[in-house]
Amino acid sequence: MIDVLMPQLGEDVAEGTVDKWLVREGDLVTREQPLVEVATDKADTEIPAPAAGRVIEICAAEGAVVPTGGLLCRLDETAS
């Protein structure tokens, strides 16, 4: 299982807001496929999948504020 975490999105950015999920639980994804759109006070960005697999759990709802390093979702890389 792979935990997809909120990356450091800027030098002074400590958190991001989940704007829109581009996948749903159960979806198969490819490596680098955009999973979620995240907004910060500096910019909006898409977070890509770190590996191919199945989205087994979305841990941050749309509208949630997630700190850098916080859990966004989990992937099962054995289900690709």
Side-chain angles (χ1 to χ4, degrees):
M1 183 166 42
I2 296 173
D3 289 344
V4 180
L5 306 177
M6 178 71 77
Q8 179 72 43
L9 296 171
E11 193 172 305
D12 298 329
V13 179
E15 62 189 21
T17 302
V18 176
D19 195 30
K20 179 182 178 185
W21 279 100
L22 305 173
V23 296
R24 289 180 276 173
E25 288 182 2
D27 285 357
L28 285 172
V29 297
T30 58
R31 179 175 165 76
E32 300 298 322
Q33 177 180 336
L35 299 175
V36 60
E37 294 175 357
V38 174
T40 70
D41 57 346
K42 307 253 185 221
D44 295 348
T45 190
E46 293 179 340
I47 308 301
R54 184 178 305 277
V55 179
I56 57 171
E57 183 180 6
I58 290 178
C59 303
E62 290 182 0
V65 176
V66 181
T68 298
L71 185 60
L72 293 169
C73 70
R74 289 190 166 110
L75 300 177
D76 179 359
E77 72 276 13
T78 64
S80 60

